[in-house]
Amino acid sequence: MKGILLAGGAGTRLYPATLATSKQLLPIAAKPMIFYPLSVLMLAGIRDVLIISSPSELPRFQRLFKDGSHLGLNMTYAEQPEPKGIAEALLIGAEHIRDESVTLALGDNVFHGHHFSDTLQDAARDVQGCVLFGYPVPDPERYGVGETDGTGKLISIEEKPQAPRSNRAITGLYMYDSEVLDIAKNVRPSARGELEITDVNHHYVQRGKARLVDLGRGFAWLDTGTPEALMQAGLYVQTMEERQGVRIACLEEVALRMGFIDLEQCHRLGRENAGSAYGQYLLSLVPA
């Protein structure tokens, strides 16, 4: 399975913090925002990742991750000249996807939960159609909402419904089979000229090939697109890390746990950053 990480958009809701840098590079508890969705792709077992961003911001991500080999990844990059919808990322990444399944993650979503890696790997093991991830919210009228039958099959998706049929918001994490490219190519632009990911999802729903994984109790999903949400995410991560003694979205640790790098490589990365608390944490992962 391939991975795509969409780190586009102007970040206007976070103005003026985004005047000088990409939204996805703003810090959440001392780590760049993009670390969090990238860790999700890694926890799903994905090692081949394409980052999509604007031409002006893409070099920043290239400096941050380079080719990804230090994390045991193969990272490539592509430009999205203008933000024309989430589904456009699939077309931009066509050569990256080719005839494989793909997981698309939004660069401003934070996921955290017990045994999340098992949940992701189970979902990615055999994608037949599309797999979406739902999260219970108190105000579903603000989101795209998924309705399922008793087996988890999606029977409807509504965008910001006045009378929601469920409280399961569709999160910014999408898994698709290899047919998604043909589907995305036939999506018509919206009135705003954007290729809506909901239209792609609707296609799978209509064919009876869409499934919703319910991220319920024990999980947290945070969309960090506003100043308030960004601050709340930072407080959540800081609190969890202090209480549990484990860093969330520590990419080097995820790479180690997933077998992408070995103990020697992790120790070397820790030594290179030994002057920081982050580097000291990496060193603590390696037995003396």
Side-chain angles (χ1 to χ4, degrees):
M1 174 176 277
K2 299 293 184 69
I4 293 180
L5 189 47
L6 181 57
T12 52
R13 292 185 297 169
L14 287 165
Y15 176 91
T18 49
L19 276 175
T21 190
S22 166
K23 170 178 66 175
Q24 291 83 7
L25 292 176
L26 294 175
I28 297 178
K31 294 180 290 293
M33 183 188 297
I34 198 170
F35 274 36
Y36 295 85
L38 177 55
S39 73
V40 171
L41 295 180
M42 295 169 66
L43 287 170
I46 297 169
R47 303 181 70 167
D48 202 342
V49 179
L50 173 70
I51 293 182
I52 298 175
S53 189
S54 67
S56 62
E57 299 297 339
L58 205 60
R60 300 178 189 269
F61 295 105
Q62 291 172 314
R63 285 196 297 271
L64 179 62
F65 295 122
K66 301 181 176 59
D67 65 358
S69 58
H70 64 292
L71 297 170
L73 304 178
N74 174 38
M75 301 191 72
T76 52
Y77 304 86
E79 295 182 355
Q80 184 184 40
E82 297 178 48
K84 292 185 177 180
I86 297 171
E88 187 189 33
L90 297 168
L91 301 182
I92 293 173
E95 285 299 313
H96 173 70
I97 300 170
R98 294 185 180 271
D99 57 354
E100 295 190 39
S101 58
V102 61
T103 297
L104 170 61
L106 302 188
D108 59 0
N109 277 219
V110 174
F111 295 86
H112 179 244
H114 192 52
H115 293 308
F116 192 30
S117 182
D118 294 338
T119 300
L120 291 167
Q121 291 179 52
D122 285 345
R125 190 165 289 116
D126 185 24
V127 178
Q128 300 290 330
C130 84
V131 180
L132 307 180
F133 295 81
Y135 187 79
V137 294
D139 48 357
E141 64 277 359
R142 295 181 52 232
Y143 301 90
V145 176
E147 178 190 12
T148 63
D149 64 13
T151 67
K153 179 187 292 186
L154 272 162
I155 56 177
S156 74
I157 299 176
E158 296 180 288
E159 282 296 320
K160 300 181 179 179
Q162 292 184 351
R165 297 179 183 178
S166 85
N167 68 340
R168 263 48 181 179
I170 304 297
T171 68
L173 184 64
Y174 317 88
M175 291 183 177
Y176 299 107
D177 63 14
S178 58
E179 294 182 28
V180 72
L181 287 180
D182 290 332
I183 295 170
K185 289 174 184 176
N186 291 300
V187 169
R188 295 182 178 180
S190 67
R192 297 182 298 175
E194 297 184 354
L195 300 180
E196 303 288 353
I197 198 68
T198 299
D199 291 339
V200 174
N201 298 336
H202 271 307
H203 185 92
Y204 282 105
V205 171
Q206 291 168 359
R207 294 168 58 194
K209 297 182 67 176
R211 181 164 64 92
L212 188 72
V213 174
D214 190 11
L215 301 178
R217 294 181 61 183
F219 282 89
W221 168 60
L222 302 163
D223 181 348
T224 59
T226 67
E228 297 78 13
L230 184 64
M231 181 173 64
Q232 290 169 3
L235 291 172
Y236 171 83
V237 172
Q238 180 182 10
T239 300
M240 295 300 291
E241 290 184 345
E242 288 178 352
R243 293 187 177 185
Q244 297 182 349
V246 176
R247 289 185 179 260
I248 298 171
C250 174
L251 299 181
E252 295 85 351
E253 181 176 17
V254 175
L256 178 63
R257 302 301 185 210
M258 295 299 297
F260 298 171
I261 63 173
D262 58 26
L263 286 171
E264 182 179 348
Q265 291 169 297
C266 183
H267 191 265
R268 175 175 54 79
L269 293 170
R271 289 199 312 270
E272 291 173 357
N273 298 281
S276 67
Y278 191 90
Q280 289 297 317
Y281 177 78
L282 293 181
L283 290 174
S284 74
L285 301 175
V286 182

